[in-house]
Amino acid sequence: MRFFCPIDTQTTWCQTRMRQFLYISPYFPPGARVGALRPLKFARHLPTHGWAPVVLCDLWPGARTSTELLDAVPDTTTIVRDYSARAAGAFANLQRPAASPSNKTASAPPSAKGFDPRDLLPQWLNNPELIPLGEHSVHIPHAVGAARRALKAHPKCEAIMVNADPYAALLVGAHVARQTGLPLIQDLRDPWSVCELRRPRRPWPILPFVDWLERLAFRPAQSIILNSLTTLEDYRRHYADFDPQRFACIRNHGDAGLIGHGEHGGFERFSLLFLGHFRRFLEGDVLIEVLVELKRRGLGHVQLVVTGNCPPDTMEMAHNAGVGEMVTKHDFVSYTSIGPVMESADVLVALSNRSTQRIPAKFYDYATSKRPVLVLADNAELGQMARSIGGAIFGMDDPMAVADWLEPIITAGRHPTTERPDGSFSSQQATAELAAILDRITA
């Protein structure tokens, strides 16, 4: 694979045969943040539709990285590691043998939350919404210059697309689009101004400032992409003065070819698998209540397997409820290896935060598996999605109904399967929708 650090004007034969666009995506492999996955999946399938992205991305010392994700980037993708001044050096250090351990994941997953000095702040100050663009704001000037250099080095780019968050990247894309006149796509993985979880936490004058920043970023865009139908409608209402056709929905998506690496030794007992982390807006209390009810019904042999962070508060809650032995903290699983883990489990659990706008990212990975999917959410759109793949959804405050659904599955035996429609929520389908937008705005 070719890497361009920061600029390399050579292209492969395949790239010269494809249409190109500048893809501003601070998160991109080898970065292993969840924000790097959506652009990676698009990059893997866009060549089928005649498009090859030129990705302007970031990297920084201490970032969690994965060489497996980097290996999955196709040769048709040009990578420009220059979003911030630190990116090229961070990637060069990563390539040095002494900087990488022998395994394929170059840095450890985030550990369970320990002491954080921010915990000492008054509640009103311990609020990330007080700084709308966060640390990424300082990189905007460099990123604008880097985007201009990338377009000069790759003059065949016909459009600009931004993967956000970080939301500061939306401003970078908007500024460069105004300068160059190129059509612009703003792709929001999560809602920004209208986020029903974060908007109430924004005090005056932060709230109108975020609205102003977002409108500044949206004005030059030919297409603004949201990842759920609910969020799409919320944005159309919020921007009633915009043509509603400027807004589109392309949900997140699962790429089965990306997650099937390695093997898993299997679980010794019936396992409910939760791939992900318990964190802010996503506590595990409802799952603890489900375990309590299962144990009351004589199904205490079942275990909840958590592959991500499981904070001490969650484990303490489980022990106090008498189900501590039913919660198992699994070793970290790299994203490219989750397929075998899902196949070893019995039921796949997706836990949503208390929002109707967001869909748990792992739901799309679960849709590539044949295992039954259990969704806990108060979200009608997610309910329709779950039922369309043969799964089930229950409210966040209904552990009895969850146990009623689980009990016959558990008593029927290990490794149940569910038939699913081919291509449900697949990266191939989502990329076809993106390619149609690229074709339209560059016509």
Side-chain angles (χ1 to χ4, degrees):
M1 188 182 300
R2 269 210 169 94
F3 300 103
F4 301 77
C5 183
I7 292 289
D8 187 334
T9 57
Q10 300 180 46
T11 57
T12 66
W13 179 86
C14 287
Q15 288 166 324
T16 63
R17 304 286 294 179
M18 293 186 182
R19 303 173 70 185
Q20 291 186 314
F21 67 97
L22 178 63
Y23 201 164
I24 300 175
S25 180
Y27 303 146
F28 196 75
R33 291 184 63 142
V34 66
L37 298 178
R38 183 173 173 95
L40 170 61
K41 294 170 186 176
F42 280 141
R44 282 166 52 83
H45 297 282
L46 276 168
T48 302
H49 304 278
W51 286 96
V54 176
V55 180
L56 174 62
C57 61
D58 200 0
L59 196 65
W60 54 92
R64 189 162 60 94
T65 59
S66 167
T67 56
E68 291 172 332
L69 290 178
L70 186 60
D71 291 343
V73 179
D75 291 337
T76 49
T77 298
T78 302
I79 303 180
V80 180
R81 302 192 187 281
D82 195 25
Y83 183 86
S84 73
R86 60 193 176 173
F91 185 72
N93 289 335
L94 189 66
Q95 297 299 95
R96 295 192 181 108
S100 300
S102 58
N103 60 25
K104 288 207 130 189
T105 300
S107 59
S111 58
K113 185 178 184 293
F115 172 74
D116 189 331
R118 290 173 295 184
D119 293 339
L120 300 178
L121 294 173
Q123 184 62 37
W124 70 273
L125 276 178
N126 189 9
N127 181 4
E129 300 308 314
L130 294 176
I131 308 176
L133 297 176
E135 63 171 298
H136 299 280
S137 59
V138 300
H139 303 298
I140 290 177
H142 183 97
V144 168
R148 293 297 303 271
R149 291 190 293 273
L151 288 171
K152 184 177 181 180
H154 303 279
K156 292 184 178 180
C157 286
E158 301 178 46
I160 299 169
M161 178 173 174
V162 178
N163 175 55
D165 65 336
Y167 300 113
L170 298 172
L171 301 178
V172 174
H175 188 73
V176 177
R178 289 188 185 96
Q179 289 181 329
T180 63
L182 288 172
L184 173 66
I185 298 173
Q186 302 282 36
D187 183 17
L188 280 72
R189 294 187 305 106
D190 288 322
W192 187 15
S193 72
V194 305
C195 177
E196 61 188 10
L197 293 176
R198 300 171 65 176
R199 189 175 181 88
R201 296 172 62 86
R202 294 177 188 135
W204 182 268
I206 300 299
L207 184 61
F209 182 53
V210 169
D211 287 352
W212 177 80
L213 287 173
E214 186 180 72
R215 182 171 286 269
L216 189 68
F218 281 5
R219 278 184 188 139
Q222 280 70 37
S223 183
I224 301 161
I225 301 175
L226 295 316
N227 71 7
S228 76
L229 292 175
T230 302
T231 307
L232 173 66
E233 294 307 314
D234 288 343
Y235 265 100
R236 284 176 170 168
R237 280 192 296 271
H238 193 68
Y239 288 89
D241 55 321
F242 279 32
D243 179 355
Q245 297 310 308
R246 288 175 66 183
F247 296 92
C249 174
I250 300 181
R251 291 187 172 107
N252 283 328
H253 36 93
D255 187 341
L258 188 60
I259 60 175
H261 298 268
E263 298 179 350
H264 189 266
F267 297 109
E268 75 284 357
R269 52 182 169 146
F270 196 100
S271 299
L272 313 176
L273 177 66
F274 177 71
L275 280 175
H277 308 287
F278 295 131
R279 60 186 185 277
R280 186 174 74 126
F281 301 136
L282 198 69
E283 293 81 13
D285 52 338
V286 61
L287 292 176
I288 301 303
E289 294 175 15
V290 170
L291 295 181
V292 170
E293 178 59 22
L294 290 177
K295 184 175 181 179
R296 189 190 68 80
R297 300 183 185 199
L299 300 173
H301 63 284
V302 173
Q303 65 175 343
L304 170 66
V305 178
V306 182
T307 64
N309 290 346
C310 193
D313 288 350
T314 302
M315 292 305 303
E316 182 179 0
M317 185 190 312
H319 284 294
N320 291 341
V323 293
E325 74 286 354
M326 297 177 70
V327 180
T328 300
K329 177 65 179 70
H330 193 281
D331 291 339
F332 172 72
V333 180
S334 65
Y335 182 73
T336 55
S337 300
I338 63 175
V341 181
M342 290 192 294
E343 295 310 310
S344 296
D346 300 286
V347 174
L348 309 177
V349 180
L351 175 63
S352 180
N353 45 47
R354 294 183 183 273
S355 165
T356 62
Q357 295 173 326
R358 300 170 186 240
I359 309 297
K362 286 299 182 286
F363 173 84
Y364 302 96
D365 299 317
Y366 290 169
T368 68
S369 167
K370 297 297 185 183
R371 296 285 173 247
V373 174
L374 167 64
V375 179
L376 300 177
D378 297 306
N379 185 327
E381 179 182 355
L382 180 53
Q384 293 175 349
M385 295 167 62
R387 287 186 287 271
S388 74
I389 62 169
I393 183 168
F394 298 94
M396 301 287 285
D397 301 303
D398 200 358
M400 293 287 289
V402 176
D404 288 341
W405 181 80
L406 281 172
E407 185 171 6
I409 297 176
I410 295 169
T411 55
R414 298 292 309 276
H415 301 139
T417 59
T418 301
E419 292 301 319
R420 302 212 162 97
D422 291 336
S424 297
F425 311 114
S426 69
S427 292
Q428 291 88 337
Q429 174 183 310
T431 306
E433 296 170 8
L434 173 60
I437 292 176
L438 283 166
D439 290 341
R440 175 175 57 80
I441 68 171
T442 58

